[in-house]
Amino acid sequence: MSIDGLFPNLTEDNCEQLARFVTILKDVWPLKGKHRDQLKYDIRDMSRSLTNERSTRRKEYMTDAKFLSPYLYYFLPWNLFRLSRLFTGLELDIPEDGQVADLGTGPLTTVLALWMARPHLRTRRLSFTCVDIAPKSMQTGVKLFQALAGKDSPWRIKTVKGGFTEHLRDKADLLMAANAFNELDWSGRATRPQAEKLAAHMVGATKETGRILVVETGVRLAGRIMAEMRAQFLEKGCKPIAPCPHAGECPMPAMGQGPWCHFNFSTKGAPDWLEAVSAEASLEKDNVSLNFLYFSPGGAAHRGLVRTVSEPFKLHGGKGQYACSDRGLTLLEYAPGTRPLFPGQIFAPDWPSNPRTDLKSKALILPYKGQNTK
């Protein structure tokens, strides 16, 4: 199985859901007077605090009202936008009466994004187990979901206070963890055992026919986390669906100053109200990034495909683009007049018999003329 193109533009319906979300926020978590005036400063303070000590900050900002307000009005909607772009491009076809688990759910971020981005799932009977250490955040998320989807929604949500390895009663058809694992300490010798523990729990909690989705924000640290988690998933017999086009060694593991696998895309489709809030806080965005792993305990690995990763850039008077293949880091070299691919697209390559190596990146150079696109 492979996914040909990632991060398509949002649908009109998805844009409408994001646009009306501010009305839902104001109803569920209203801000009045000085609290609304203070919001831009709280957003800035929280943005700075997210670079501080990781071992305690999730508990702080998910339980303290001072942090929950800026999270709900700024960080949550931007995460909904990111996840909507991702979910739109993934095959997320959870069966009727399916089980979904969300680790480190916060205010049910991934559940909200899944409802916004995948309308074909809205009428299915699905059971969600949402796990987090902060009950107040989850309770707020439940209220947001009920306001978004209506109290007659066939989705059934159970919240559980617990950590990332909390025991799950039912194995999942889809097990998710988004913007969560970066809160842990990934320094030193704890990195590999921590990844092994998390991966073992996730694989054990997922059906053989199920899917595992891990999403992070796209920064270098997250790239290192993803490389460690990927290695553990492979070791436990899981197969990559996306973005990895192979099950070999990761060519972008964020080691030292080397590259890491992440995707940038524009903020086209973000609601006007969110851009206004961002501008007030002097935290405007014209692009966002993320990295992710989408694995299955069953299935077969891809063979011979190439996935574009970076945005196109100028190269020797033309354009180039970094990509991932089973031969390692790959540099696409576009012929003059050839339209570059979007980040996340996959294709069957036509490798030269003796490919050259880029002196700067050590990537194998793959000339691309526009053929063989899937």
Side-chain angles (χ1 to χ4, degrees):
M1 179 188 298
S2 68
I3 295 173
D4 297 347
L6 301 171
F7 314 114
N9 288 331
L10 297 182
T11 64
E12 183 177 340
D13 177 73
N14 206 157
C15 288
E16 290 175 356
Q17 300 301 333
L18 288 166
R20 79 181 182 97
F21 191 67
V22 68
T23 304
I24 294 170
L25 271 175
K26 289 177 179 178
D27 182 55
V28 172
W29 195 268
L31 295 177
K32 296 181 180 180
K34 65 178 183 179
H35 296 292
R36 178 61 183 86
D37 295 338
Q38 183 68 24
L39 181 63
K40 60 184 177 183
Y41 304 110
D42 290 340
I43 291 172
R44 282 183 223 160
D45 289 344
M46 187 171 182
S47 181
R48 285 191 293 267
S49 76
L50 292 179
T51 62
N52 295 336
E53 179 61 40
R54 297 176 180 274
S55 61
T56 59
R57 75 184 193 201
R58 183 176 183 84
K59 184 176 180 180
E60 290 175 350
Y61 75 70
M62 285 304 184
T63 56
D64 190 327
K66 177 184 176 183
F67 288 103
L68 196 49
S69 293
Y71 190 86
L72 293 174
Y73 276 83
Y74 178 80
F75 296 95
L76 170 60
W78 275 120
N79 284 334
L80 292 177
F81 175 79
R82 286 188 182 91
L83 291 173
S84 290
R85 286 289 301 267
L86 174 63
F87 289 174
T88 301
L90 296 183
E91 46 81 33
L92 292 166
D93 195 27
I94 309 163
E96 188 80 14
D97 295 314
Q99 297 286 336
V100 182
D102 185 19
L103 309 181
T105 187
L108 276 60
T109 307
T110 52
V111 180
L112 295 169
L114 192 63
W115 195 92
M116 289 181 173
R118 307 301 293 183
H120 73 288
L121 297 176
R122 294 175 189 169
T123 58
R124 292 188 186 176
R125 293 187 305 272
L126 302 178
S127 296
F128 290 79
T129 301
C130 299
V131 183
D132 202 281
I133 60 173
K136 185 171 185 178
S137 177
M138 291 190 288
Q139 292 164 7
T140 304
V142 171
K143 293 177 181 178
L144 290 170
F145 177 77
Q146 290 174 343
L148 175 70
K151 293 187 178 181
D152 293 331
S153 170
W155 292 15
R156 296 292 173 257
I157 297 172
K158 178 178 71 173
T159 61
V160 177
K161 182 181 180 181
F164 297 132
T165 56
E166 181 75 18
H167 173 72
L168 301 176
R169 188 183 67 178
D170 300 305
K171 288 199 172 188
D173 294 284
L174 175 63
L175 179 60
M176 303 182 288
N179 307 313
F181 291 165
N182 69 84
E183 308 295 345
L184 299 171
D185 182 4
W186 291 89
S187 60
R189 296 180 180 179
T191 298
R192 191 149 297 170
Q194 182 162 260
E196 197 282 332
K197 182 179 180 180
L198 290 169
H201 173 70
M202 297 182 83
V203 173
T206 305
K207 296 177 182 177
E208 183 70 17
T209 56
R211 303 285 186 266
I212 298 172
L213 177 64
V214 183
V215 187
E216 286 294 344
T217 56
V219 298
R220 177 177 286 276
L221 170 64
R224 188 75 205 113
I225 294 170
M226 290 301 188
E228 290 288 349
M229 293 298 297
R230 178 184 186 273
Q232 292 298 327
F233 285 140
L234 291 172
E235 189 173 296
K236 289 164 178 55
C238 290
K239 301 299 186 293
I241 303 173
C244 312
H246 62 87
E249 185 176 349
C250 177
M252 291 175 276
M255 296 291 287
Q257 297 302 311
W260 71 100
C261 182
H262 66 291
F263 298 87
N264 294 306
F265 46 90
S266 79
T267 56
K268 179 181 178 181
D272 292 341
W273 71 264
L274 179 55
E275 293 187 337
V277 169
S278 303
E280 283 183 26
S282 300
L283 291 171
E284 301 95 327
K285 297 178 183 290
D286 56 15
N287 69 85
V288 293
S289 66
L290 61 76
N291 42 25
F292 75 100
L293 296 172
Y294 192 37
F295 270 70
S296 173
H302 313 311
R303 294 185 65 86
L305 301 178
V306 176
R307 173 90 70 186
T308 59
V309 176
S310 78
E311 296 179 277
F313 51 84
K314 293 182 179 179
L315 179 70
H316 310 316
K319 288 188 178 295
Q321 187 175 28
Y322 287 116
C324 181
S325 75
D326 57 5
R327 299 194 184 195
L329 185 62
T330 300
L331 175 60
L332 300 188
E333 187 179 68
Y334 290 101
T338 302
R339 184 176 182 177
L341 299 172
F342 291 106
Q345 286 189 266
I346 203 166
F347 65 96
D350 183 11
W351 284 99
S353 56
N354 293 296
R356 295 170 290 131
T357 299
D358 179 56
L359 296 178
K360 179 181 178 181
S361 64
K362 309 304 180 186
L364 285 183
I365 297 175
L366 174 61
Y368 184 85
K369 299 178 182 179
Q371 75 275 23
N372 296 333
T373 306
K374 290 189 67 179

